[in-house]
Structures are given as C-alpha cells and as structure tokens.
Amino acid sequence: MKIQIARDVLAAELAKVQGVSNQKSTLLILNNVLLEARGNTLTLHGTDLDVSISTECPCEVQAEGAVTLQAKRLYDMVKSLRDDALILEMEPNHFTTLRSGKVTSRIPGTPASEFPDIQTNPETARYKLAPAQLLDMIEKTLFSVSTDEGRPNLNGALLKVGESQRLTMVSTDGHRLSRIQLPAQEGEVGFPEQLRQGVIIPRKGLVELKRILDVSNPALRFGIQGNTIVFRHGATTISVRLIDGKFPDVDQVLPAESEQKARARREDLLHALKFVSIVAPSKTGNVRISLEGSDCEIFTQDAEQGEAQEHVPIEYDGPAVKAGYNYRYLLEVLNAIDGEEITMEIIDTLSPTLIRDAGRDELLYVVMPMRI
Amino acid sequence: MEQEARRAGREVMVLPTELANQIAAGEVIERPASAMKELVENALDADATQVFVDIGEGGRDLLRVTDNGHGMTREDAVRALERHATSKIRTVTDLFDIATLGFRGEALPSIASVSRFALETRARGALVGTRIEVEGGKLKSVRDAGVPEGTRIEVRDLFFNTPARLKFMKNDSTEVRHVSEALLRVALSRYDVHFRLTHNDRKIMDVPANTDLGDRALALFGRETREALFETTEYPPLDGIRAWGLTSRPDITQRSTSRFYAYVNGRFVKDKTIYAAIKGAYRGVMEPTRYPMVVLFVEVPPRLVDVNVHPSKIEVRFTHPDNVYRAVYHAIQETLQVTPWVDSVTRTYTLKPKTRPIPGFEIGAEEQRTIEPLNARFAQGALPLGEHRRPAEPLRVPIADIFGPPKARDNVRVTPAPSPPVTPPPLRPDPFAPKAPLPAVTPPLTDPAPDTGRVVEIANEQAEAEARALRMQSEGYFSRLRYIGQFKRAYLVCEDASGLVIVDQHAAHERIGFERLRKTYATHHKEAQQLLIPERISLDTLRSAALDEHLDFFQRLGFELEPFGGLDWALKAVPALLARARYAALIKDALDDLASLGRSDRIEEARDAIFARMACHAVIRAGDALTPEEVLGLFRQMDAIDFGANCPHGRPVYFRLPLAELEEAFGRT
C-alpha cells in the first residue's frame, strides 16, 4: 500500500475513527485503525466490537493495499505535521513509513487480515432520518443514561416509533428520566419494524453518533440488521450493537400531567441552583425546593458547609409544596433544555416531579425527590 | 467366601465395633495433630497441671501424652476404651450443658482402633496403676503396673491398619507443624498449665504455668508480638456472654485469619460470627484484605451454645449469634478506640492510667480538685499562635509537685500496685470540649547536654514524668508535640517529651476527613433517594425470609423495600449517600450476613468506602508544604477525633522513635 493524501483530510477522518479505537482493550488490534486503499479512495475502519465506524476520503493511491496502524499515534502524528500533504507507504513486513516535508517516521503495522470483520450490509441503512432530529434526541437524553452496570438494560437509550410515526427516545437511571418525542419529518417514510418494540442504543454508540453527526449534511439513513443498528451519514457508516434487554415501561411510572404547574425562567433557576449547590452536602447534593404563590425558594443546609438560599420568581397558583432533590439532577435537566422558560410540577415529596421546556411539548423530564 | 461376602453386603448389619471405631476415627482423627488434641483435652479434663507431649517421626511412629491429672481406676480405664464411654456427660440434657472439652466418648477408642495403643494410668491415691494395650482396636492385655499418678498414653504406628489414611500423611515437618499449632492453641487457652512438646527428643515448646494470658503470649510468641498485643476492654456481659483477651495493634496484620485464636468456653473454634465481629471491630483502621492477630475468649453460658456440631468440635452454633458478635466487637473495638499503643512504645516507663494507677500517686478528691483548675487554666489561656513554644513553667511546676521528687518515681516502672484509680481520662475525648489549646512542652533535648548515661536517664525520667502528665490529661497529645520540621514535604517531624514522632501528613489529614465525614453523615444526611422505576430484586427463600425479618434494619438505613409477590421485592428508595451503589448485590450480601450472623455491616462498609474516597480527595498530600501554624492546626484536629493510628486505607499515620532506641542506635546505652 502506498498513498499520498492531504494532511487535513486524513486528520479529519482519523478523528472520527479514533474515538472507538482509542479505548483500553486487551485486544491490541482494537487500538488500531484499518486503512484500505482502493481506486482513488482511502477507507478507514475502527471498532471496539460494540461500536464500529467506517469512513472514507479521496486520496491518490499509488499502490493498492491495506494495513492496520495504532490509531491514536497515527492521529497525533498527522495532526502535528507542518506540511499539507503526506505519503504513507507500507513495507512487506507491515512497517509503514510516513513522509511529509522534512519528516519521516516508520511505525509498526499489522496485516489487515487480523482486523475484525465489520460486517454491515450497506443496504441495511435505507430509512431516512434528519441528522438534526437524531442529534436533538441524543442531546436531550444522553445525560440520564444509567452507568450502573448492574442494570444493563438502562445503559442505553430506548429508540422507539409510536403512533403516527412519532419517534421517541427515552433514557433513565432509575432516579430520573428524559423523554423526547418528535413527529416524523418530511421524507421519512417508514421505519424499521424493530422500532415498534423499541431498541436500546448503548451510551457509547450515542456518544459516537453525537460526535459524528453533521447537521449541515442532510444525508442520513439508518436501519437495523440483527442486533446492530446501522447509520450511514455521507461517507461515514457507524454500526452499534444494541443492548439485549427489556427497557422498563416508562408510561406506567409517569404521572399524569398535573394542574400544579409552576412556570419559571430557566436562567433564574439555573443560577439559584448553582449558587446554592456551593454549600450543598457534597455526596447527596440535597437541595430543597419550595413553591408558594409567586415564590420558589431553593434552600440547602449542611452541617459543615453551612446553608444557602435563593428566591426565584415563578408563576404558580397551586398549593404550597416542597421537596428535596439532588441538585445535580436538576442542573442536568436545566442544561439540556434550550428554551427560556420551563415548567415544574411538584406533586408531593413521594411522587415524581415533572420538568418541561415551556416552549416544547415534545420534551419531558422526570426527577424523583429525596425523602428526608 | 466371595459369595458369602457379597451376600453379607446386601444385608443390613450392625457394624462390628472395630469398624465403627475406625469410621469414627476417620471423622475425628485425621492426622497425628488431631489425635494429640484429643489426648491433651482429656488430660486437661482430668485437671492436669502438666501436659507433656512427645512425638517421633512426625507423630507417625510415636505420639505420647503424659499428664499429672487425676488418673483412672482399672474399670474406668477399660470402659474408656469402649465407644461412647465418657465420664463427662451422663444424659442427653448434659449434652446441652457441656463444660468440659471432650464429651463424645469417641476419642480413645477411635485412636486405639487405628494404632498400637498403650494406656498407663493411676488414680490419685491408688496404690497400683494399670497398663492396657490395644492393637488396631483389639484389646491385647490389661495388667497392673507401677506408674506415676496421672495418665500416660502412648500411640505408636498411627494408621498402621488404615493404609488409605497413612498415604495422606504429609512429610514429618508438616505433621510437626500441625501438632505444634494444635498444642499452641491449647496452650494459649490454658496458661495455668505447663505444656511441653518434643519431637524426636528435641524440645519444640516448653511453657511453664503462667499467671496470665499476657505472659503466656510472651512465652509462646516472643516479645515483639507480645508488645503488639493489648488487653481488650471489659464490656458488660450481654445475655451472659463475655469476650476478653488480647488484640493486636492495627499495623500488625496478616493475609489470613491464621492468627485468630478464638475460644468458646475454652475450646478453640473457627466461627464466622466471631471472625466477622473481629473484622468489624477493625473496620476503618485496617485494610479489608488484612487480618489482625487476636487471642479471644468468648464465654457463653453452655445452654446458649451447641458444641456438638462437628466431630472435631471446631465449629459451634450459637443461640444468639448477634449477642456474641456484639460482645466480641465491643471488647476489641473499645480498645482500638483508646489506641493504647500510642503510649505503648514507652511502656516501660508509662503505665496505663486506667487499669494500673501509679503508686504513690493516690490522690484524693481534694487533690483532684487541684488538678482541675490547672487544666482549666490552660483551657482558658488561649495564647496567640506562635507563643506556644515558650517554656511553660506554670505547667511544669505543678506537675513536678504532683509526681513528687524524681527519685520516688523509680518504682513507677516496675511495681504497679492496685490503688484507687486516678480520675481516668475519658475513653473518647469529647471533640467539642474546649481543648487545652497550646502545647506546653519544654523541649527536653535542650536540657544541659547529657554526657553520661546517668544524666540521660535522669533527664529521661523528668521528661517521661512530664510526658506522662501530659498524657494523663489525655487530650492534646498531638498538639503538644514540638514541631521540628517537614521532611520531604510529606512527613512532619516532631518531638514529644522523650521521643521522635513522625507523622504522615496525608494519612493524618485523611483520617481526620474520614472521621469528620462519618460523623456528619451519621447525624445529618439520612435522605433516601426514591426510585422512579422500582428495582425488582429476586431473592431465594432464605434471603426473602431474612428480609422479612430484618425489614426495619434496611428501612433505618434508608432503603424502602416492599414485597412484590413470591420471592420478589421491589426496591423503591435507597440511601441518598449510596445512590450510585449496586443495591441489589449490597442488599443480598447484607441479608446473608443477617441470616448467619444476626447483623450486617455491609451497608456501613459501603458508606465507609465512600467516605474514605471522599476523604482522600479533599486533603493535603505528600508534596504540600505546610507552615507551622497549619501543622498545629492539623495536630489539634487529630486530638479532636477518636484517633485510630491508621488512615482509613489502613496505613499507619505516625511513627514514634523513643529516645532510648535512638540512643541505642548510637551505642549510647
């Protein structure tokens, strides 16, 4: 294999792939990126066996062939080159020489045959989906995906198609929940049958998707093949092994919309929470929210760190209520919401509290109070 | 023949006695050490004050136990060799009230059935003795013999007729090790008896009768180990259950429970309740994978313990395991909290004020009053920082008065005599009590240069008297240290009245943080995080029953659990502090503890682990330069907590080098 390629082009593609390659694994080959040169295209593959990314870019192929190289090291080298172009040339023993301007480096490689076979049928990804829509769903739910390995079915977000082709993404860690429901957009005709039941996309797949999605490029198609969900976005393909398990039926635990809606400016609440949290007990993060008339009081107390409170004006005509929360849960919700105003429904200290973006009905957040 | 045998095999028959004995021997007598243990226990049950054990070739050739106990008459001796013949219990009810070591009546016939066996005995006061010989369980001869009072049992060619067992014997040195270990276990528990062990005529152990456990430990383990052992604390009996013994400094650790010498009513046991209580007591001061050394006697009313669980009697069953746990836990834990080893390095000079008051220091109520104003004065006299290194004459003079002239102190070292106790320092210094804020130590090293050993000694005496006085006030040991400087930006080098004290700054601060967090969270943060989606926990029958029984235990800690049908439970809320833990596994582990031990520390352990991690992050580290003011601040905080000498990860916090040792290193003694 011998190719000549623009530095920035290669760096951009390596950036996409090295996220999955750059993991600590006992399988050394997984730290490598597979480079394949055919025709006038360079294809790059990276995988950690759960998430696989393939991408391609144009290049001048002087000799066809393939090799795998340590992804992170190659990426670091290419990034730091001063000249615009470089040449990669593989020797018969798979050592590969990188040449660019006054720079030469020779790095060990392994034969392409050792790289795991990433089998994705390009035909799989045939359902259209707007990148902005997918990104929106991921951004609104990623933070509440559980990291508790004891409950693997919560280690990902549920992607599901509901009535009238409405796409839903839900995540929960048992303490709080995020849900976004978006109507199908123009051109999105039909979805894979599996989405009727819903599939669980693992956190890592969501993270990689979020990194790769480019809203300026509308070409995004996806599909499901066996236990893998495949997205084709321009020249990049990402396939993610789905989590095998049953996502809890969230409709069962969600309370009905209540009349006790308090309306507040998101910025005000954010500030109050951040201020008060400075003295909140560091482990439990307990803060108390009290709603009464047009006043919302956020209060915390810690035997060592003291106490703090801030008042936030609200529109509220329900009964006076108060409940305790882990302030981090509230902060994460408020940070995920884009709108200027939010509504909050505190029913009592035992029932789930609902938080919504006042301007977007599609979004729903649930936070469980703490019992003192 | 063969046919006959086969037919015999099909019929249900009562086993011939010898075969029954051999089967029993298989259970009781695994190796020479177990035979030895049975024989020694018999000797002790016969009130022997001397038990000599001689073995040859690892016990294979010879195993001889000689005692000076009350011996047996001929009739008793012959009967003792019948199976289930015992003088120790008579009825089934006796079985539940066993106060002797042996009781099953299996040992002698079992051993005799697998060896060439000779028993010589003479009952106390009898004119002639008896010699009985048995070979492979068959009685060979019974005759008169002129033998000393007591009993002597000689076992030769052990397992000669059970080749399978013989094959499993290890080499001599292994068997000797087992014998020594088994005898050591007995010798620890009966420090009033003279034990001797020889192997091929070479003496391995010889411990004359001692008057207390500490001396026996010294005789068996040597000085270094003895000095690392501390008496457990008297704790009021629970349900008649009492535990006492010796427990090691937290820095004395091993990888296994091999140095847990636990006895129930004098009988060596390996019991998980007791083991768990020991571990529990050391939790927080020792790494979880390490084990202390403990010699512990648990006295349980015989009716509350079933010793007839296992033929070798190494396991027992308690009626109230939780009370046993508490008795053991408190006995050890209270000692650990007092940290007697803080003074132990200078133990030759300093006597434990609580149990061994200093002679010539008996003070009445009036004199006590003269001390209190002294303390009070120092408590009030909060001198500004920086002035504390001034020689503190006001303290020095009264202390000298209290202790009398130096000469009178000489006997302090050796002859502790009972006397009305001096107001004991509180076991746990009240952290909120006003501290005597300033260290009032006169640097003893700046005293006139000690040119001769005698002068040093006198200087030491004075320094010791002062140091002792300081410790008598119990609080403020650390803040009274004179800070010399920081070494490698990691260790604080200080002196107390008679030694060099080196404090690991990170470990010390970490320990403070840990204790503080533990206290804060114990009282203030009991919130429960409710779960949006209840977690379903499937249990087996035992665990589910245990949960049913101990539901309030979990509720107290912040777990909310509800039956979910069948053996399933729904977890609806968890302690906020543990909001990220693996609850299901934690609950199951705790349930297993509750079922077997009657209590569980799992959840506290999980909490402690979080505190230890939190503590580790918010504190100074090696490499941080500290000003003298910061050092004093650190020491004051150290004085304010129940100070274990180890950091929460189990590493030691400080190290003390007594002047005497330093001088020894320089050849000045």
Side-chain angles (χ1 to χ4, degrees):
Chain A
M1 186 193 86
K2 184 175 181 188
I3 57 167
Q4 179 161 8
I5 189 166
R7 177 197 60 199
D8 294 343
V9 172
L10 182 57
E13 300 309 313
L14 279 172
K16 291 179 190 164
V17 174
Q18 62 111 22
V20 280
S21 303
N22 187 23
Q23 302 288 331
K24 288 190 182 74
S25 169
T26 51
L27 284 171
L28 275 180
I29 190 76
L30 298 186
N31 297 327
N32 287 12
V33 55
L34 170 64
L35 304 175
E36 284 179 318
R38 300 259 182 284
N40 50 10
T41 305
L42 176 70
T43 313
L44 302 91
H45 304 275
T47 183
D48 68 358
L49 300 180
D50 282 329
V51 180
S52 305
I53 298 176
S54 302
T55 182
E56 55 185 47
C57 55
C59 76
E60 187 190 323
V61 178
Q62 295 170 359
E64 291 195 337
V67 69
T68 86
L69 299 171
Q70 218 272 353
K72 174 87 167 57
R73 219 172 289 144
L74 181 64
Y75 179 52
D76 287 347
M77 270 187 187
V78 172
K79 262 195 314 187
S80 57
L81 291 177
R82 302 170 81 167
D83 287 75
D84 292 339
L86 65 138
I87 290 172
L88 277 179
E89 183 173 8
M90 184 185 77
E91 299 166 18
N93 62 3
H94 300 100
F95 261 87
T96 300
T97 307
L98 180 153
R99 265 191 294 272
S100 173
K102 292 174 176 156
V103 164
T104 316
S105 168
R106 205 166 151 263
I107 51 178
T110 52
S113 57
E114 287 181 15
F115 200 78
D117 202 5
I118 308 170
Q119 283 187 338
T120 43
N121 181 354
E123 290 305 302
T124 302
R126 63 173 189 269
Y127 301 97
K128 203 165 180 256
L129 184 64
Q133 208 178 359
L134 181 59
L135 189 63
D136 192 22
M137 289 198 289
I138 295 174
E139 281 177 344
K140 295 291 181 287
T141 56
L142 184 57
F143 68 90
S144 58
V145 171
S146 169
T147 50
D148 173 7
E149 283 166 23
R151 302 177 85 181
N153 59 329
L154 300 185
N155 292 162
L158 176 78
L159 178 65
K160 195 177 172 183
V161 172
E163 304 144 32
S164 60
Q165 294 295 86
R166 201 164 58 162
L167 267 181
T168 303
M169 194 173 266
V170 189
S171 74
T172 180
D173 64 0
H175 300 174
R176 67 271 176 70
L177 174 147
S178 312
R179 188 181 72 184
I180 178 168
Q181 294 180 304
L182 297 178
Q185 291 200 349
E186 208 178 318
E188 297 174 353
V189 279
F191 286 118
E193 194 48 40
Q194 292 92 326
L195 288 192
R196 296 262 156 232
Q197 288 295 316
V199 295
I200 309 171
I201 307 176
R203 160 185 285 273
K204 188 156 175 226
L206 298 170
V207 170
E208 291 301 325
L209 266 172
K210 186 180 157 197
R211 232 154 54 87
I212 279 163
L213 282 171
D214 173 7
V215 289
S216 64
N217 178 358
L220 175 66
R221 285 173 184 272
F222 81 107
I224 293 168
Q225 175 189 343
N227 66 346
T228 305
I229 187 163
V230 182
F231 295 87
R232 260 194 83 78
H233 185 41
T236 307
T237 305
I238 173 167
S239 45
V240 180
R241 197 189 284 173
L242 296 167
I243 291 176
D244 189 18
K246 194 177 176 313
F247 202 82
D249 185 357
V250 295
D251 293 334
Q252 251 184 17
V253 297
L254 291 183
E257 189 168 340
S258 88
E259 292 302 304
Q260 307 179 16
K261 259 189 198 176
R263 200 177 169 101
R265 278 172 44 83
R266 189 174 67 96
E267 282 300 325
D268 292 348
L269 271 181
L270 258 181
H271 179 270
L273 278 170
K274 281 183 187 161
F275 175 76
V276 163
S277 68
I278 295 170
V279 296
S282 45
K283 199 64 202 176
T284 62
N286 189 18
V287 300
R288 189 187 69 201
I289 296 190
S290 320
L291 307 179
E292 191 172 2
S294 59
D295 178 56
C296 164
E297 183 204 60
I298 299 181
F299 170 82
T300 191
Q301 191 178 29
D302 181 81
E304 283 198 352
Q305 303 178 109
E307 56 179 66
Q309 57 189 305
E310 181 166 340
H311 292 268
V312 171
I314 51 169
E315 284 172 35
Y316 181 62
D317 50 17
V321 282
K322 55 179 78 170
Y325 304 90
N326 183 335
Y327 72 86
R328 295 179 194 92
Y329 295 165
L330 299 175
L331 274 183
E332 282 179 330
V333 167
L334 293 177
N335 280 325
I337 291 174
D338 306 310
E340 274 193 16
E341 290 200 327
I342 62 112
T343 65
M344 188 159 49
E345 295 156 54
I346 302 177
I347 296 152
D348 57 33
T349 55
L350 293 175
S351 312
T353 291
L354 305 182
I355 302 175
R356 303 171 202 265
D357 183 337
R360 283 190 80 182
D361 287 344
E362 312 101 88
L363 269 177
L364 174 68
Y365 291 101
V366 184
V367 177
M368 285 306 284
M370 245 181 242
R371 217 184 34 202
I372 303 164
Chain B
M1 252 301 261
E2 218 179 278
Q3 252 184 344
E4 234 176 65
R6 221 179 294 145
R7 204 179 321 126
R10 269 189 228 109
E11 286 166 25
V12 177
M13 288 171 53
V14 175
L15 291 174
T17 321
E18 294 137 55
L19 190 53
N21 282 339
Q22 281 187 15
I23 290 170
E27 286 176 10
V28 186
I29 314 298
E30 292 182 279
R31 57 182 357 143
S34 32
M36 189 275 308
K37 174 175 168 267
E38 298 292 337
L39 298 178
V40 168
E41 286 182 351
N42 281 345
L44 294 173
D45 285 341
D47 299 327
T49 57
Q50 265 182 9
V51 179
F52 295 162
V53 180
D54 304 293
I55 58 176
E57 310 302 325
R60 223 181 307 243
D61 277 17
L62 170 69
L63 167 62
R64 186 169 52 220
V65 176
T66 313
D67 71 57
N68 64 350
H70 53 54
M72 286 179 279
T73 63
R74 172 173 299 189
E75 295 71 42
D76 281 351
V78 173
R79 207 173 301 133
L81 286 162
E82 290 167 13
R83 188 137 185 260
H84 300 307
T86 178
S87 59
K88 297 166 191 174
I89 56 173
R90 299 259 172 248
T91 63
V92 174
T93 25
D94 285 351
L95 193 55
F96 299 100
D97 213 347
I98 293 166
T100 50
L101 294 171
F103 57 86
R104 295 169 73 105
E106 282 181 335
L108 279 187
S110 299
I111 297 169
S113 72
V114 292
S115 68
R116 299 184 220 281
F117 180 96
L119 180 156
E120 291 175 353
T121 185
R122 181 157 67 92
R124 214 161 272 172
L127 289 176
V128 280
T130 307
R131 180 178 167 93
I132 302 175
E133 286 174 21
V134 183
E135 192 174 309
K138 290 205 173 62
L139 192 63
K140 290 280 171 192
S141 74
V142 180
R143 58 183 168 82
D144 286 351
V147 292
E149 276 184 8
T151 304
R152 169 177 159 128
I153 289 172
E154 202 169 88
V155 178
R156 290 194 177 268
D157 305 325
L158 189 63
F159 302 135
F160 80 97
N161 56 347
T162 51
R165 180 69 67 172
L166 195 58
K167 218 166 58 189
F168 282 103
M169 294 251 294
K170 298 286 190 315
N171 60 33
D172 284 6
S173 61
T174 309
E175 297 301 337
V176 171
R177 208 182 62 232
H178 282 287
V179 171
S180 328
E181 178 70 21
L183 190 61
L184 182 141
R185 287 170 183 170
V186 178
L188 258 181
S189 69
R190 291 297 303 271
Y191 50 77
D192 55 331
V193 176
H194 181 182
F195 289 94
R196 197 178 68 193
L197 170 65
T198 68
H199 177 230
N200 296 345
D201 298 326
R202 206 168 47 81
K203 198 152 71 177
I204 292 180
M205 179 195 300
D206 190 5
V207 284
N210 294 111
T211 47
D212 73 32
L213 178 61
D215 290 344
R216 179 49 61 92
L218 176 64
L220 288 171
F221 299 114
R223 179 155 299 278
E224 198 174 312
T225 304
R226 168 64 190 101
E227 289 189 347
L229 293 172
F230 295 87
E231 277 173 36
T232 58
T233 308
E234 282 267 354
Y235 197 77
L238 300 153
D239 204 5
I241 300 169
R242 221 181 121 234
W244 64 278
L246 299 171
T247 197
S248 67
R249 221 164 49 210
D251 60 323
I252 305 298
T253 68
Q254 19 266 324
R255 235 176 316 172
S256 71
T257 55
S258 60
R259 299 191 105 184
F260 280 12
Y261 297 100
Y263 301 82
V264 171
N265 297 343
R267 183 180 285 117
F268 179 86
V269 294
K270 295 186 171 178
D271 178 76
K272 52 187 177 172
T273 303
I274 296 176
Y275 281 20
I278 297 172
K279 277 303 279 175
Y282 277 87
R283 186 160 47 77
V285 297
M286 188 174 287
E287 285 174 68
T289 53
R290 307 291 299 181
Y291 299 86
M293 172 171 178
V294 171
V295 182
L296 198 76
F297 296 96
V298 184
E299 288 161 18
V300 185
R303 281 165 197 290
L304 297 181
V305 56
D306 181 2
V307 289
N308 192 18
V309 178
H310 191 266
S312 69
K313 300 169 217 152
I314 208 158
E315 285 172 24
V316 292
R317 202 168 288 146
F318 298 115
T319 315
H320 301 303
D322 45 335
N323 283 340
V324 172
Y325 186 101
R326 277 156 56 202
V328 172
Y329 177 87
H330 288 299
I332 297 177
Q333 211 266 343
E334 310 263 316
T335 293
L336 294 178
Q337 238 170 28
V338 181
T339 62
W341 50 87
V342 171
D343 282 350
S344 77
V345 197
T346 55
R347 60 185 7 259
T348 30
Y349 311 100
T350 311
L351 299 162
K352 227 159 97 188
K354 190 193 166 200
T355 50
R356 296 179 188 170
I358 297 156
F361 188 36
E362 293 120 286
I363 47 171
E366 250 165 56
E367 280 144 307
Q368 281 192 34
R369 252 180 266 126
T370 65
I371 297 179
E372 273 158 21
L374 181 72
N375 279 341
R377 195 157 97 219
F378 273 82
Q380 290 157 2
L383 299 172
L385 201 70
E387 281 184 46
H388 60 275
R389 275 189 227 118
R390 268 189 342 197
E393 290 108 357
L395 181 65
R396 211 180 176 190
V397 176
I399 290 292
D401 287 345
I402 293 162
F403 281 85
K407 268 186 185 162
R409 272 174 252 142
D410 284 356
N411 58 354
V412 164
R413 296 171 156 200
V414 276
T415 47
S419 63
V422 176
T423 329
L427 288 186
R428 291 177 221 191
D430 177 359
F432 302 107
K435 291 272 163 295
L438 299 176
V441 174
T442 312
L445 294 182
T446 57
D447 283 356
D451 275 339
T452 68
R454 224 190 75 76
V455 176
V456 172
E457 204 179 293
I458 290 167
N460 262 351
E461 291 278 306
Q462 282 170 342
E464 281 305 331
E466 267 169 48
R468 187 172 55 228
L470 294 176
R471 287 186 209 113
M472 291 293 286
Q473 297 177 344
S474 156
E475 295 173 40
Y477 173 74
F478 290 105
S479 45
R480 282 159 203 275
L481 294 173
R482 195 180 78 84
Y483 173 55
I484 299 171
Q486 209 181 6
F487 176 65
K488 293 272 184 197
R489 289 197 177 178
Y491 299 97
L492 308 174
V493 182
C494 315
E495 64 179 291
D496 67 9
S498 60
L500 197 60
V501 179
I502 300 168
V503 178
D504 178 333
Q505 63 185 44
H506 173 64
H509 202 195
E510 197 176 32
R511 174 89 208 173
I512 291 164
F514 175 75
E515 292 294 343
R516 213 187 51 215
L517 285 166
R518 194 144 77 163
K519 199 165 280 171
T520 311
Y521 278 84
T523 47
H524 295 289
H525 300 300
K526 293 181 171 166
E527 299 93 342
Q529 171 67 55
Q530 299 181 80
L531 301 182
L532 173 63
I533 301 162
E535 192 167 337
R536 194 153 139 193
I537 300 182
S538 298
L539 300 173
D540 57 35
T541 334
L542 281 179
R543 284 173 174 162
S544 186
L547 182 50
D548 228 2
E549 190 182 337
H550 296 285
L551 203 53
D552 58 329
F553 167 84
F554 288 97
Q555 259 154 15
R556 254 194 335 266
L557 289 163
F559 286 101
E560 190 183 324
L561 286 147
E562 280 177 13
F564 200 71
L567 298 173
D568 285 2
W569 292 75
L571 178 62
K572 303 185 77 176
V574 298
L577 190 60
L578 296 175
R580 296 259 156 228
R582 309 270 295 267
Y583 335 111
L586 194 60
I587 289 172
K588 283 178 188 168
D589 284 350
L591 283 173
D592 291 348
D593 288 351
L594 287 168
S596 61
L597 311 174
R599 57 169 292 146
S600 175
D601 295 329
R602 298 282 173 162
I603 290 147
E604 284 172 40
E605 274 166 23
R607 270 199 322 221
D608 280 0
I610 286 171
F611 295 146
R613 265 202 306 278
M614 287 166 77
C616 188
H617 289 134
V619 300
I620 54 163
R621 314 190 150 266
D624 293 343
L626 298 184
T627 63
E629 288 78 11
E630 285 175 304
V631 171
L632 182 62
L634 179 72
F635 287 168
R636 283 197 189 142
Q637 293 178 56
M638 285 169 81
D639 285 327
I641 60 170
D642 287 352
F643 201 80
N646 291 34
C647 83
H649 295 115
R651 291 190 307 274
V653 167
Y654 66 91
F655 169 79
R656 185 177 184 278
L657 181 65
L659 179 59
E661 267 180 41
L662 194 66
E663 287 179 332
E664 207 176 301
F666 286 106
R668 271 175 173 267
T669 42

